[in-house]
Structure formats: structure tokens, C-alpha cells
Amino acid sequence: MAPNTKEVAPGLLSLLRVYTDGTVERLVSSPFVPPILDETITGVSSKDISISSDVSARLYLPKLRRTDGSLKFPILVYFRRSFCAGSAFSSDHHCYINTLVSQAKILSISVEYRVAPEHPLPTAYEDSWTALQSWKFVYPTAAGGIDNPMINPFAVGAPKLSGIRCSRVLICVGEKEITKYRGIQYCESLRESGWEGEVELYEVQGGEHGFHIRNPETEIAKNMGLGYFPPVTKSFGFVLQAALSLLPSSKMVSNTKEVVSELLPFLRIFKDGSVERYLDSSYVPPSLEDPTSAVLSKDIKISPEISARVYLPKLSGTEEKLPILVYFHGGGFLIESAFSVVSHRYVSELVSQSQALVVSVEYRLAPEHPLPTAYEDSWAALQWVASHANGKNGDKEPWLLGHGDFGRVYLGGDSAGANIVHNIAMRASNANNGTYLKKGSPVHEITNAKSLSCGVKIHGAFLCHPYFLGSKPIGSEPLVDHDKGSLYQTWMLAYPLAPDGFDNPMINPFAPNAPHLSGLGCSRLLVCVASNDELRERGVRYFDAVRESGWQGEVELFEVEGEGHAFHVLKPESEKAEGMIKRLAAFIKCL
């Protein structure tokens, strides 16, 4: 609610409030992220610069193959959307431009122009550019109103489009955006104007306004971000292809490096041991001192091999204790990172909703580090978290010491991360109840069960769209060749020496030699599935099997209709994703 002491003037209530005393409260914003001068993950370096006393920018440079100054890049001067909100220094724009620069090999200057209503138009034009949004509010004195030539290039008296001072123009529209037909009209008008350059229209099916910035990790956003900066030729086919067609073929690659294995469109493995990943989302730095966000984050080292991103919600008191969530990201054990924009955005929202302290674990990936490495790294990370329960400082993490409630420790994960949660909870069973039983055992045999440091017990765990497989099909899975798909190829690539293959207990908790589910080492369990996810039926079977196992805890099933695998991670701003994140938050809060 707006403060009772301030009177709200007319404005855009979905974006901001303007008060009669002249102050502005912005209701929707993406958190600030700092630039990175020596970023090694994407190969893109960035830094902030001042252009004038009023205008600044973020400069991006792709990784240089030569440092003698002879390598030259195309230059992109980029202007973000919205006259009233946003920033060139926000996480969404940083990740979008970072990805674009990495893929297109360009030098980009992302301009930080001043925003309305504090600086009404034409200030933004004078600082940088023109855009379409909230015209009457951001430029109340515009001559001609919405037919001012700056917002309506087709208006009477607007300059002729034939005078555009460039040689190539690409106009992008989304199928579902409200300004789509204005964009199409602009393209057609430019073609018919007598302008001598080359113009092309690119329409994204299903795309909404700004989708490629809000969700840069999606396939259609990645496709939109590639291909406009090829070597300069007369025929510059820059309309983007599907993700697979953008990858070099095995035959092309083999001229320099021999491909020994591949799982497209995810990765290729070469004979020299190197791996190329194609669908990893962009790295985004933590925000330790972000004044705009309700969540703080920082990166830490757990061991020489294992690191993590730790998240802390803004606190109401210096001694406030919070539930602890140890989180494991998805990606089939092969791709993704705790430091990616996908994980960071999703976990930040979960922290904000749940008011939990989260440790998002960066475990090592296959195929460079085949399974069971990820399981061992995850267990070591959980043990490290538990070691803080004794309250001793030493080399411990201050946020965990000061604000962690070790009576409320949770595990959580999505897809492969949910698989990790199951296996870690089974290993921890001895710490909770000592009933990690092997099926068919004549005695209560404890198999691989271990205690957590300082006597810590896992209070609860959530498994979202868990990655489970098996040699025999279940439910509606195909009866023939069901084990030939990419999910099965992923497992064999991640764990090529897995005993029993697809019936290894790590991937098939229902296998004949799998430990008994009654030994799960937690007291509360939430299993989440999506109706359009091909892993749905294995998730439901897991829920049923736990419920029927004699396990003494509380288990719940939460299903979302009409959505696919990991939708809540890939599209956390969607209505159904928001509902699911709220359900996870309520689980952590014990509501």
C-alpha cells in the first residue's frame, strides 16, 4: 500500500506511483548487477562508463582471440525498453546483452538514459532513443500527442523514412504483442519509402512484448539473439534458424577437432576431452549490495572443487533466524549452473517468497566429472552447511551462523536436482531414523546411510519434476524403444559406468535392488509434477510408492495442469509458475 502520509497522483499503478510531493515509487524492477571485467564463463567482459554528467552506459566486449588491437568487432548501441522503468545495469538487461555479445561477437554499448516522470520526454531522446510505451504519461507536452513524429513515424508531418541513415534494418515483432502491427507497418512503409537499404521483418510465434529480455534462456529468445552480425556480405541472411541449425555439424567440426559423442542440442564431446555446451544460460553475478532487491546474494567456496551461491532475504532484525534450504539445480547433470541467470532469477524469487536462507550448490558436471561426482559434491555441501550448527566461527559462513535455523533444514531441487534430493535424503536416513533398508533384506540392514554433522536432521524436502527413469516402461510411456530417447541418453552420458544402467537405484528408485523408500531421511516431502511433462508418471509413482512404503513422514503431491518440464524455472514470471513458487514457499514455511 502507498504510505498514508503521501497523496498519490495519477500514474501507471502497475509500474509505479507518483506522489504529489514529486517522489516516485517504482513497483516493478529487476535487481542491479555489477559489471564483470574478467568474466571467464561466457567470455564477455563488461564495465560501466560515464558518457556525460547525465548519461552513463555499460560496455560489453567478447573474448579476444588476439590482443594486438587488430581484431575489430561490429558495434551495437543498445537502448532498453520502457521510458519509465528499468536500467541498463539491471540483471535482465545485463544477461540479455551478455548473451547477445557472446553469440554474435560484437561490441555493445548499453545506454542508461534518464527515465520519466522525473525526466519527461524528450529527455530520453536527447540521451539516447525513442520507444513505444505509456506515451501521454512520459511526454505530457508532446506536440500532436500520440501523433507526434517521435512516437508515430507515419503521422502527418513525420520525416520521410527514406532518410534513415543506415544500410540495414531488422524489425522484430512478437505474435502476441500489442505493438505487432505497428512494427509490421513500419517495415512495409520503409520498403515502400524509396530507402535504398535492406530491410527484413522477423516475427516470433508465441512471443510477447520484451520476451527475449525477460526470458533470454528460452529457445525462441536465443534464436532471436543470433545471426544479425555475420561477416558482411551482400546476402546477409540474418533471419534466425532453429537452435540445431545454428550449431556446427559434426562434419564441419571434425576438420579441427574430432567429435566422439554428442547430445544435441545440449553438448558435444571431442576426442581431446574438451566439451562444448550449447544451451547453458548466461552467467549472472551475485548482488551483495543491491539497494533495489529484497534478496542479497554472494558466492562462496565450500571446498576446492565445490562452490555455492548463498541467498539472504532482507531481515527485520539482526538476530532473526530463518529456515535453511540447500538447493540443487537441474540440467540433466550435464548443463546449467547455480550461477546462471535461470537459477539466480528462480532462486531469488523463491527466497523472497519463503523468507528462507538458501545455499544453491554448484556441483561438478558430467561428462568431465561423471556421476556419482555430483552426488558426492552435493553430500559434501550439505555436510558443510550442517557443520555450522555448532555455532563456532572459524572459517564458517557468517550468514549461516547468524541467521540459519538448523531445526528447519530443507532440501530442494528441480529435475536432476530433484534426483539429487532423493539420493541425498536416502543417504541421510541414518541421521534421522536409521531405517535405510535394502529391499528383501532379512534384517534391518543400513546401506550407505550416514549421519549429518552436528546431529543436524533434514526437516523437509521438495522434488520438482524429478528425473527418474527405468528399463521397463510405466503408464503411457512407449512400449517399444522407450529407453532410446534423450532422457535416457542423458543418463548414460552422465553415468556411463552406472551399475545396472537404467535400473541403477540412483535413477530408478523402484528398481529391485533400490533401498526401501521407508528410509527417506526427512519428515516432510513435497513432490511436484506437471501434466505435460514426460517425467510426470514417474513422479506420481514416486509419490505413491513413498506413501505406501510405511515411511512415517508427511508426503504431498502438487500437480500443475497444462505445463511442461521445469516451466516454473524457465518462466518464473508466468501466473502458474508464481502459484507453484508460492506453494514451495508455503511448504518451507510449514503453512
Side-chain angles (χ1 to χ4, degrees):
M1 294 179 63
N4 294 329
T5 56
K6 287 187 175 185
E7 183 180 350
V8 179
L12 302 174
L13 291 182
S14 63
L15 297 176
L16 52 80
R17 287 193 178 100
V18 183
Y19 299 97
T20 54
D21 64 0
T23 58
V24 177
E25 179 185 5
R26 286 181 169 81
L27 307 177
V28 178
S29 63
S30 177
F32 166 87
V33 294
I36 306 173
L37 268 177
D38 298 303
E39 207 274 278
T40 58
I41 297 180
T42 64
V44 175
S45 293
S46 56
K47 64 178 179 180
D48 295 341
I49 60 172
S50 291
I51 297 174
S52 71
S53 58
D54 299 313
V55 185
S56 55
R58 181 158 292 179
L59 185 66
Y60 296 82
L61 182 71
K63 187 175 183 179
L64 300 175
R65 296 189 300 274
R66 301 192 300 271
T67 58
D68 58 3
S70 60
L71 189 61
K72 304 297 183 182
F73 297 103
I75 299 171
L76 169 67
V77 183
Y78 175 78
F79 308 98
R80 70 185 188 276
R81 71 185 194 279
S82 178
F83 290 121
C84 297
S87 169
F89 309 136
S90 67
S91 63
D92 54 0
H93 286 92
H94 177 91
C95 295
Y96 168 60
I97 299 298
N98 197 77
T99 301
L100 183 61
V101 169
S102 175
Q103 299 286 355
K105 304 303 180 189
I106 57 175
L107 187 154
S108 180
I109 302 167
S110 182
V111 178
E112 178 74 346
Y113 55 80
R114 289 170 289 176
V115 295
E118 298 95 323
H119 304 282
L121 291 178
T123 300
Y125 295 119
E126 295 165 355
D127 286 352
S128 55
W129 91 311
T130 180
L132 300 173
Q133 183 98 12
S134 312
W135 181 251
K136 291 182 179 179
F137 186 66
V138 298
Y139 196 178
T141 60
I146 58 175
D147 284 325
N148 184 288
M150 289 184 172
I151 196 67
N152 184 2
F154 322 116
V156 176
K160 292 184 177 180
L161 294 178
S162 60
I164 285 181
R165 300 295 295 274
C166 64
S167 58
R168 303 169 66 219
V169 170
L170 172 66
I171 300 160
C172 302
V173 298
E175 177 192 17
K176 297 181 179 179
E177 68 173 303
I178 193 171
T179 57
K180 166 186 171 180
Y181 294 104
R182 293 275 176 181
I184 294 173
Q185 183 183 0
Y186 183 80
C187 179
E188 294 173 349
S189 298
L190 189 57
R191 284 173 176 162
E192 299 168 359
S193 69
W195 178 62
E196 296 182 352
E198 299 180 47
V199 59
E200 190 148 354
L201 179 71
Y202 177 56
E203 180 174 349
V204 179
Q205 296 301 311
E208 299 178 345
H209 191 72
F211 74 93
H212 57 298
I213 298 174
R214 293 190 300 273
N215 300 297
E217 76 287 345
T218 60
E219 183 175 337
I220 58 174
K222 287 182 177 182
N223 292 345
M224 182 171 169
L226 299 173
Y228 188 59
F229 299 92
V232 178
T233 62
K234 181 64 178 178
S235 177
F236 59 87
F238 53 77
V239 176
L240 307 167
Q241 306 300 314
L244 282 175
S245 67
L246 289 169
L247 303 178
S249 69
S250 299
K251 185 177 293 186
M252 292 172 60
V253 174
S254 64
N255 292 331
T256 54
K257 294 204 298 184
E258 183 180 349
V259 177
V260 295
S261 184
E262 60 186 11
L263 183 63
L264 297 179
F266 303 105
L267 53 76
R268 278 197 176 107
I269 306 170
F270 298 94
K271 189 174 182 178
D272 63 4
S274 61
V275 178
E276 286 186 3
R277 290 178 170 84
Y278 302 112
L279 289 187
D280 267 351
S281 56
S282 299
Y283 167 86
V284 64
S287 301
L288 185 56
E289 298 179 355
D290 179 8
T292 66
S293 173
V295 176
L296 305 180
S297 57
K298 62 180 175 180
D299 294 342
I300 57 156
K301 274 283 187 183
I302 293 174
S303 73
E305 296 82 19
I306 309 166
S307 53
R309 180 159 292 179
V310 186
Y311 297 81
L312 183 71
K314 288 190 175 177
L315 304 169
S316 57
T318 57
E319 298 182 359
E320 185 177 355
K321 295 294 185 179
L322 306 171
I324 300 168
L325 169 65
V326 183
Y327 174 76
F328 307 99
H329 67 81
F333 304 105
L334 300 174
I335 62 172
E336 270 303 322
S337 165
F339 308 136
S340 74
V341 61
V342 172
S343 290
H344 182 86
R345 182 177 55 186
Y346 166 62
V347 175
S348 292
E349 183 61 26
L350 183 57
V351 172
S352 177
Q353 294 285 344
S354 66
Q355 292 297 290
L357 190 161
V358 175
V359 179
S360 181
V361 179
E362 179 74 344
Y363 53 85
R364 287 172 290 175
L365 298 176
E368 299 95 325
H369 304 281
L371 292 176
T373 300
Y375 297 123
E376 299 304 324
D377 287 355
S378 300
W379 177 257
L382 178 59
Q383 285 282 30
W384 175 83
V385 170
S387 71
H388 290 72
N390 62 17
K392 296 178 181 179
N393 285 306
D395 59 351
K396 302 302 184 183
E397 167 52 45
W399 286 1
L400 281 167
L401 287 173
H403 303 292
D405 182 350
F406 290 89
R408 293 185 291 165
V409 174
Y410 288 82
L411 304 180
D414 299 276
S415 190
N419 175 291
I420 291 175
V421 169
H422 161 73
N423 283 290
I424 293 300
M426 294 302 291
R427 184 182 294 197
S429 65
N430 190 37
N432 279 19
N433 52 32
T435 56
Y436 193 26
L437 307 182
K438 189 172 182 179
K439 288 182 181 177
S441 174
V443 295
H444 287 189
E445 178 185 351
I446 305 301
T447 308
N448 199 30
K450 297 182 180 180
S451 297
L452 288 173
S453 299
C454 304
V456 169
K457 296 183 178 181
I458 301 168
H459 184 62
F462 66 76
L463 288 76
C464 297
H465 309 171
Y467 179 37
F468 294 137
L469 304 175
S471 63
K472 296 180 180 179
I474 66 171
S476 61
E477 292 178 352
L479 296 178
V480 179
D481 291 338
H482 88 284
D483 57 353
K484 305 300 182 186
S486 61
L487 290 172
Y488 288 80
Q489 293 178 49
T490 296
W491 174 250
M492 295 311 297
L493 193 58
Y495 200 176
L497 301 179
D500 299 319
F502 303 133
D503 286 328
N504 183 283
M506 298 285 191
I507 194 67
N508 184 1
F510 323 119
N513 63 337
H516 203 281
L517 292 174
S518 63
L520 274 169
C522 60
S523 57
R524 300 176 64 230
L525 187 67
L526 175 64
V527 181
C528 300
V529 297
S531 66
N532 295 346
D533 182 7
E534 60 183 309
L535 291 172
R536 174 196 175 273
E537 289 181 274
R538 297 220 172 237
V540 173
R541 181 173 177 182
Y542 180 79
F543 163 76
D544 290 336
V546 171
R547 188 173 53 175
E548 297 165 3
S549 69
W551 179 62
Q552 298 300 305
E554 300 175 11
V555 59
E556 301 174 69
L557 180 70
F558 179 74
E559 180 167 3
V560 177
E561 295 291 336
E563 294 290 353
H565 190 71
F567 75 94
H568 58 296
V569 178
L570 299 174
K571 301 182 292 180
E573 77 288 343
S574 67
E575 183 178 352
K576 290 182 180 179
E578 289 177 353
M580 180 164 168
I581 292 172
K582 288 180 179 178
R583 181 66 189 88
L584 296 175
F587 177 76
I588 295 171
K589 292 178 177 179
C590 298
L591 298 178

